[in-house]
């Protein structure tokens, strides 16, 4: 990925396969034409901007001890390396502990998952019969939440099950027969389980809608309404979103009661990313990508493609050229997705070629 700083220019027109490199201003950095395929590789390497202005250091109002959490939970938080609450955790843990409905507006990477898991785990430790439903838009995010939950509660009597598509449903049905304090899943699989009678929602008294904006973008509004209609009206509902649109506002008004709105949104992602556009006329995009991947600076690269077929074709081409690469898209099984993501995370492959299924979670 070529990111981490501010964009210096906007792309004009489409990124076409057969145009030459162009430079956006006098003395532009992209050289070449029909007689040259060489790139100034250093132009793609992230460097600290001389004009960088550091963000104001956040000083939390509370410590984790101030939340009066169970001693086992506090020990786990400390062992996981949490020294002080992040902004979203600092502002939202108390309202959740008080049983209030909340709306959390926060970017990815702000500690949002822990912000709702910590107080909900406390809720379970106080009442072992508590059942909590967490709805996420993608399998990857649901698995991520489940893994975080298990790592926090590994020495506690807190039980959970993950219900997502791509996994054998009979295994999830079997797990749902046992006590589960947390049920974490994606809308489609959760509905399937409800309709089969394997998951009864009348025992759920806390619901988390994580990345609600993403779920609406993916067309899950009817699924959310179905699931919420089966949950008791006397419940606590937590809604997390990166944006506040009219549709999110309507969702909040339908399902939340007098919610506390906590916004800790930081600078929007595009303002933190340096974007470079390479236009080519007589050269091939795949050749250019391959040349870039030959440089030591490009050790871990995420390549997005528009279609599943395009992603697979590009992955095969790069593999034939000797690049260690994995691909991920919606036609992959859950096992294949997990294997690809793990290989990328552990640096066993240099590039991960993906559709926008990898954009979140």
């Amino acid at each position: 990925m070529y990111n981490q700083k501010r964009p210096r220019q906007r792309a004009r027109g489409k990124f076409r396969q057969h145009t030459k490199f162009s430079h956006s201003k006098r003395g532009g950095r992209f050289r070449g034409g029909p007689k040259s395929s060489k790139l100034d590789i250093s132009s793609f390497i992230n460097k600290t901007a001389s004009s960088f202005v550091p963000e104001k250091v956040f000083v939390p109002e509370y410590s984790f001890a101030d939340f009066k959490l169970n001693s086992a939970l506090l020990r786990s938080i400390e062992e996981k390396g949490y020294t002080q609450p992040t902004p979203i955790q600092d502002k939202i843990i108390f309202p959740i502990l008080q049983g209030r409905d909340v709306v959390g507006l926060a970017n990815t990477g702000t500690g949002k998952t822990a912000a709702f898991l910590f107080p909900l785990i406390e809720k379970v430790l106080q009442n072992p019969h508590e059942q909590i439903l967490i709805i996420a838009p993608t399998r990857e995010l649901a698995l991520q939440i489940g893994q975080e939950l298990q790592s926090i509660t590994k020495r506690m009597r807190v039980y959970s099950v993950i219900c997502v598509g791509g996994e054998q449903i009979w295994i999830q049905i079997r797990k749902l027969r046992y006590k589960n304090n947390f049920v974490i899943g994606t809308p489609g699989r959760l509905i399937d389980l409800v309709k089969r009678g394997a998951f009864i929602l009348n025992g759920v008294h806390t619901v988390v809608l994580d990345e609600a904006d993403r779920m609406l973008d993916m067309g899950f509004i009817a699924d959310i309404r179905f699931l919420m209609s089966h949950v008791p009206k006397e419940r606590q509902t937590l809604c997390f979103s990166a944006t506040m649109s009219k549709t999110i506002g309507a969702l909040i008004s339908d399902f939340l009661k007098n919610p506390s709105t906590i916004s800790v949104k930081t600078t929007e992602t595009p303002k933190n990313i340096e974007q470079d556009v390479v236009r080519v006329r007589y050269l091939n995009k795949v050749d250019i990508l391959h040349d870039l991947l030959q440089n030591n600076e490009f050790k871990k690269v995420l390549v997005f493609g528009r279609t599943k077929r395009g992603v697979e074709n590009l992955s095969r081409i790069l593999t034939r050229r000797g690049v260690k690469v994995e691909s991920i898209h919606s036609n992959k099984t859950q096992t294949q997705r997990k294997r690809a993501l793990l290989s990328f995370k552990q640096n066993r492959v240099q590039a991960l070629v993906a559709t926008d299924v990898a954009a979140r979670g």
Side-chain angles (χ1 to χ4, degrees):
M1 293 178 68
Y2 320 131
N3 54 20
Q4 300 301 324
K5 292 197 297 184
R6 297 180 180 275
R8 286 193 300 272
Q9 67 181 62
R10 292 183 180 274
R12 299 177 203 160
K14 297 181 178 179
F15 182 60
R16 299 185 300 173
Q17 183 158 349
H18 299 294
T19 58
K20 72 172 183 178
F21 299 127
S22 66
H23 33 81
S24 60
K25 53 186 177 183
R26 186 177 299 173
R29 301 179 307 167
F30 302 131
R31 310 289 185 186
K35 296 181 180 181
S36 173
S37 62
K38 298 296 183 182
L39 290 177
D40 178 8
I41 298 299
S42 65
S43 67
F44 295 98
I45 309 305
N46 299 321
K47 305 178 184 69
T48 303
S50 58
S51 60
F52 174 72
V53 179
E55 291 186 11
K56 184 178 178 181
V57 176
F58 170 71
V59 179
E61 183 178 355
Y62 304 103
S63 68
F64 286 114
D66 292 331
F67 297 126
K68 308 298 182 184
L69 301 174
N70 183 283
S71 58
L73 178 54
L74 283 174
R75 281 196 303 272
S76 180
I77 291 172
E78 184 179 357
E79 289 171 2
K80 285 184 62 64
Y82 290 94
T83 56
Q84 64 180 30
T86 65
I88 184 68
Q89 294 163 7
D90 191 51
K91 293 184 178 181
I92 213 167
I93 288 179
F94 262 136
I96 296 176
L97 288 172
Q98 293 165 355
R100 301 188 61 179
D101 286 5
V102 300
V103 176
L105 301 176
N107 302 81
T108 299
T110 55
K112 168 177 59 69
T113 301
F116 64 76
L117 284 181
F118 290 161
L120 294 181
I121 292 168
E122 176 67 20
K123 199 172 182 179
V124 169
L125 293 176
Q126 291 182 8
N127 177 15
H129 299 292
E130 186 74 33
Q131 189 172 56
I132 296 161
L133 172 63
I134 301 176
I135 308 174
T138 66
R139 291 179 278 188
E140 287 71 28
L141 181 56
L143 290 167
Q144 178 182 313
I145 294 169
Q147 291 165 0
E148 180 72 4
L149 173 65
Q150 290 172 6
S151 72
I152 297 169
T153 61
K154 56 187 175 183
R155 288 189 296 273
M156 306 173 202
R157 292 185 177 181
V158 176
Y159 307 99
S160 62
V161 59
I162 301 173
C163 301
V164 296
E167 303 280 0
Q168 294 186 6
I169 194 169
W170 66 267
I171 295 177
Q172 296 168 7
I173 291 173
R174 186 182 64 194
K175 289 181 178 180
L176 284 167
R177 292 173 184 161
Y178 298 96
K179 174 184 176 181
N180 287 288
N181 303 113
F182 288 86
V183 178
I184 307 163
T186 47
R189 177 52 60 93
L190 289 170
I191 287 177
D192 196 354
L193 291 165
V194 170
K195 289 183 175 179
R196 290 170 181 249
F199 181 28
I200 308 300
L201 290 168
N202 58 15
V204 172
H205 293 284
T206 303
V207 178
V208 180
L209 302 174
D210 196 15
E211 294 199 356
D213 52 342
R214 177 65 167 165
M215 285 197 279
L216 296 187
D217 289 344
M218 295 173 70
F220 287 138
I221 182 62
D223 296 344
I224 294 172
R225 292 188 182 281
F226 175 88
L227 292 168
M228 296 299 281
S229 69
H230 286 72
V231 177
K233 291 185 178 179
E234 293 301 317
R235 63 173 182 262
Q236 181 181 18
T237 307
L238 317 179
C239 178
F240 290 87
S241 176
T243 60
M244 176 57 80
S245 62
K246 289 184 178 179
T247 51
I248 290 293
L251 186 77
I252 291 168
S253 63
D254 285 347
F255 301 129
L256 281 73
K257 298 178 182 178
N258 302 317
S260 297
T261 300
I262 309 297
S263 178
V264 294
K265 284 179 63 61
T266 56
T267 306
E268 291 296 331
T269 301
K271 295 181 181 179
N272 291 328
I273 293 178
E274 177 175 346
Q275 303 178 44
D276 289 296
V277 177
V278 181
R279 295 190 180 91
V280 295
R281 178 168 294 157
Y282 301 103
L283 305 174
N284 183 280
K285 286 193 296 185
V286 177
D287 293 336
I288 293 172
L289 176 61
H290 177 258
D291 288 345
L292 290 173
L293 293 173
Q294 299 311 298
N295 288 270
N296 292 331
E297 294 90 345
F298 290 79
K299 294 179 180 178
K300 197 169 188 178
V301 181
L302 176 58
V303 182
F304 282 104
R306 187 172 60 85
T307 66
K308 291 175 284 189
R309 178 179 295 179
V311 162
E312 275 303 298
N313 287 340
L314 179 58
S315 178
R316 283 194 293 267
I317 292 170
L318 292 175
T319 299
R320 287 198 298 267
R321 295 188 182 192
V323 180
K324 292 183 178 179
V325 60
E326 284 280 5
S327 63
I328 181 172
H329 50 73
S330 60
N331 277 1
K332 294 280 187 176
T333 66
Q334 184 62 23
T335 300
Q336 289 172 323
R337 289 192 195 191
K338 286 193 288 188
R339 184 172 61 243
L341 288 169
L342 185 63
S343 295
F344 187 59
K345 182 178 180 180
Q346 296 181 345
N347 299 316
R348 293 200 296 267
V349 297
Q350 180 184 3
L352 179 65
V353 188
T355 57
D356 64 357
V357 73
R360 293 205 186 187

